[in-house]
Amino acid sequence: MAAPSKPTPGSDIDVKERVTIRYGSRIVIEHVNTQYRLHSHFITYPVGSKQQQVTCFSNHDSNDWWIVKPSHNHQDSLKLWQAEVQNGDVIQLQHYQTGLYLHSHANVQSAVSKQGEVTCYPGHNTDNNWKLTLKGDTESECWQRGKKINLVHCNTNQTLHSHNQQLPDWAHKQQEVTTYSQRDTNDDWFVSKVEKHQWF
């Protein structure tokens, strides 16, 4: 019998062990149409809410990582740690580098396209809640790496969205991320990496 294969040293993912996303997973999320990564950094918007920027980034760095958390005010959040994330679950995404939460809100427009603004926010409220929707035919109801998803902002019913529009110099000309009230293929994302060594 052949010896079990070993992961490549320094690799971020393990194909056999971390296919499924669980509460406490650290993940990288990519935009399907542009293949840019959901990203944040220690820079605020100079317009709109002036909260921390969320963009899509064409390169790879440590600001691309997010931690999957239960929804705000979930009564059994500790029991969910390492449980599989299911289709229809309401989750929070915490930005690993800054500790802030993926966030949106009503009545604040995005800087370029004037859709809904997406930020990272330090506070804890229901504007941090996103509903996971698995796209297409799937044999499993749990969230898996590589599967196409939508993330619907619970309080506005708008979908996390990106497109081929650049933000100005104050965001390093990175790609705009918004929420969008209509549904199209620019709402589609997938997890490309899952941290194999640790839970968060």
Side-chain angles (χ1 to χ4, degrees), residues 20-33:
T20 300
I21 288 83
R22 299 173 182 269
Y23 290 100
S25 293
R26 186 170 71 153
I27 62 176
V28 172
I29 301 174
E30 289 194 24
H31 187 242
V32 170
N33 284 351

Side-chain angles (χ1 to χ4, degrees), residues 62-112:
S62 58
N63 282 319
D64 300 339
W65 289 96
W66 302 81
I67 303 168
V68 182
K69 297 288 186 75
S71 62
H72 174 69
N73 278 346
H74 193 290
Q75 293 183 347
D76 293 316
S77 58
L78 291 177
K79 293 181 181 179
L80 287 177
W81 192 62
Q82 297 189 14
E84 294 178 349
V85 182
Q86 301 291 320
N87 187 29
D89 279 6
V90 176
I91 65 171
Q92 297 180 97
L93 290 172
Q94 185 179 27
H95 187 240
Y96 176 72
Q97 285 289 83
T98 65
L100 276 60
Y101 290 88
L102 188 71
H103 181 93
S104 189
H105 30 230
N107 304 318
V108 183
Q109 293 182 332
S110 62
V112 176

Side-chain angles (χ1 to χ4, degrees), residues 3-11 13-17 196:
S5 60
K6 295 181 180 180
T8 303
S11 64
I13 60 174
D14 187 307
V15 172
K16 292 182 178 179
E17 293 185 10
K196 70 176 185 178

Side-chain angles (χ1 to χ4, degrees), residues 143-154:
W143 189 7
Q144 295 182 327
R145 192 178 70 247
K147 299 295 184 182
K148 195 180 296 184
I149 64 165
N150 288 162
L151 290 168
V152 181
H153 187 246
C154 293

